[in-house]
Amino acid sequence: MRCRVCRQPAVVEVRRHNAGFCPGCFVAHCRNQVERAIKEHRMIAPGERVLVAVSGGKDSLALWDLLLQLGYDVDGLYIGLGIKGYSEPSLDYARRFADERDIRLVEVDLPRDFGYDVRSGAVADHRAPCSACGLSKRHIFDRAALEGGYDVVATGHNLDDEAAVLLGNVLRWDLAYMARQRPVLPGGEGFPRKVKPLVRLAERETAAYCVLRGIDYQVEECPMSVGNRHLGYKDALNAIEERSPGTKAAFYSGFLERGAELVADVGEQSREGLHACTNCGAPTTAQGQCAFCRLVERAAGEHRRRLPVSG
Ligand code: SF4
Ligand code: ZN
């Protein structure tokens, strides 16, 4: 197979575009896709400061690299989840990426800064680990962005992630989640804007991008993801994609073009009735403390109980 652009031998095949690319043209293709997503959805305006949520995995490091290449003013934020054997190497990959480029990585560590880890949070709040993790990450991204004076938080959700979440939402007809599932969530009082510039790139494309750009990343999946519903939806979509390349992208882009506006007003209602958390001031639908502050209180107690007794 030859590169679609320059006719040199291709090293990456993108079946949904029915195209192959040589290394240089593939990297340029990824950059174009991200640039297009940013423009199409008005994600980042010139001069805005961007904070990228960095996990040490391929998507977030590819995103950071792509935004730097496109000339954005962008720092990284790593949140240590306290997952033994996984969080430490993930942080190393993120640090190495930042050190090699002499760029800023903001580090937050759940056990050190808030006194709990994802597992304790899940037990204390009777949630699944991913639910405690998601709640913690959302709150910490918002707070770090506002305190650091960033205009936008960018996350590495790719086409496979978004299509899988959409499939889950459709299977449950969860209209409120569907309404929020856009590549841009506007900012508001206490919320930075949130953007997903990788929505036009599939997971294997971000992996190929990292390999071609010489970016080392955490290859292991988070151990908490085992049995996650989301992974089942990805497998189902991959099986369909294998038989009909392009279905995943058509499913997701069709939602953005025709489905999203049908559920848009459900999303409007869900931001109504927000108060300031009595502890941290973050916007919340709860009276009193926000869900994150309540999680911290309960989880820190649980975390202390689980620590080995020394001495
Ligand atoms: Fe967090 Fe779950 Fe993702 Fe692990 S798999 S990083 S616990 S959301
Ligand atoms: Zn709070």
Side-chain angles (χ1 to χ4, degrees):
M1 178 175 257
R2 302 250 147 212
C3 172
R4 167 202 262 189
V5 186
C6 72
R7 310 311 299 162
Q8 296 293 310
V11 294
V12 185
E13 184 186 8
V14 184
R15 282 180 71 205
R16 73 173 183 287
H17 294 315
N18 195 18
F21 295 94
C22 73
C25 293
F26 180 72
V27 167
H29 161 79
C30 293
R31 222 167 29 227
N32 292 343
Q33 294 297 315
V34 168
E35 197 171 18
R36 211 167 134 185
I38 292 173
K39 285 218 173 92
E40 211 167 85
H41 301 287
R42 299 199 191 136
M43 293 183 178
I44 310 169
E48 285 190 324
R49 292 186 64 220
V50 185
L51 187 63
V52 175
V54 178
S55 68
K58 61 185 183 327
D59 299 309
S60 57
L61 292 181
L63 174 60
W64 199 357
D65 189 65
L66 282 157
L67 291 177
L68 288 168
Q69 282 202 42
L70 289 168
Y72 289 103
D73 175 3
V74 48
D75 295 335
L77 168 66
Y78 174 85
I79 301 177
L81 304 171
I83 301 172
K84 288 239 167 333
Y86 175 74
S87 294
E88 306 86 345
S90 302
L91 173 59
D92 286 344
Y93 285 108
R95 275 189 185 156
R96 203 172 316 148
F97 181 93
D99 290 347
E100 282 168 7
R101 290 159 183 79
D102 199 17
I103 49 179
R104 180 157 187 252
L105 177 69
V106 180
E107 294 177 19
V108 174
D109 188 68
L110 285 187
R112 181 194 64 207
D113 302 329
F114 294 98
Y116 72 99
D117 59 22
V118 160
R119 212 180 287 271
S120 317
V123 172
D125 232 11
H126 308 292
R127 291 170 178 262
C130 294
S131 162
C133 177
L135 168 62
S136 308
K137 287 198 287 201
R138 278 191 300 278
H139 183 93
I140 294 168
F141 291 151
D142 288 355
R143 190 197 281 190
L146 293 172
E147 287 178 0
Y150 295 94
D151 304 287
V152 194
V153 169
T155 56
H157 295 92
N158 58 40
L159 174 60
D160 297 64
D161 295 323
E162 291 305 289
V165 171
L166 178 61
L167 179 60
N169 290 339
V170 170
L171 290 174
R172 291 189 301 279
W173 289 112
D174 194 325
L175 300 185
Y177 277 2
M178 281 162 81
R180 284 200 295 273
Q181 208 201 332
R182 279 175 274 160
V184 178
L185 275 183
E189 192 64 35
F191 300 104
R193 187 182 331 129
K194 305 238 177 65
V195 302
K196 300 172 183 169
L198 296 185
V199 289
R200 299 183 63 90
L201 289 176
E203 202 160 284
R204 55 182 291 279
E205 289 157 48
T206 60
Y209 178 87
C210 285
V211 172
L212 294 175
R213 291 277 298 153
I215 298 170
D216 278 339
Y217 60 89
Q218 167 67 289
V219 179
E220 300 301 322
E221 291 289 339
C222 172
M224 304 288 179
S225 68
V226 178
N228 188 317
R229 259 196 312 216
H230 196 90
L231 290 183
Y233 300 144
K234 275 192 177 177
D235 289 344
L237 285 167
N238 284 339
I240 299 171
E241 182 77 13
E242 185 60 34
R243 294 174 71 135
S244 322
T247 307
K248 214 185 284 180
F251 176 52
Y252 179 62
S253 63
F255 166 70
L256 294 184
E257 284 158 24
R258 299 182 294 281
E261 68 187 48
L262 302 176
V263 290
D265 49 345
V266 183
E268 297 303 319
Q269 289 156 18
S270 67
R271 270 201 181 176
E272 282 169 15
L274 293 177
H275 322 269
C277 166
T278 48
N279 186 46
C280 71
T284 172
T285 48
Q287 299 284 352
Q289 291 197 4
C290 70
F292 177 74
C293 288
R294 282 182 279 130
L295 170 69
V296 172
E297 219 169 78
R298 285 196 285 263
E302 174 65 30
H303 190 67
R304 278 193 299 275
R305 263 194 297 283
R306 283 160 27 104
L307 286 180
V309 181
S310 58

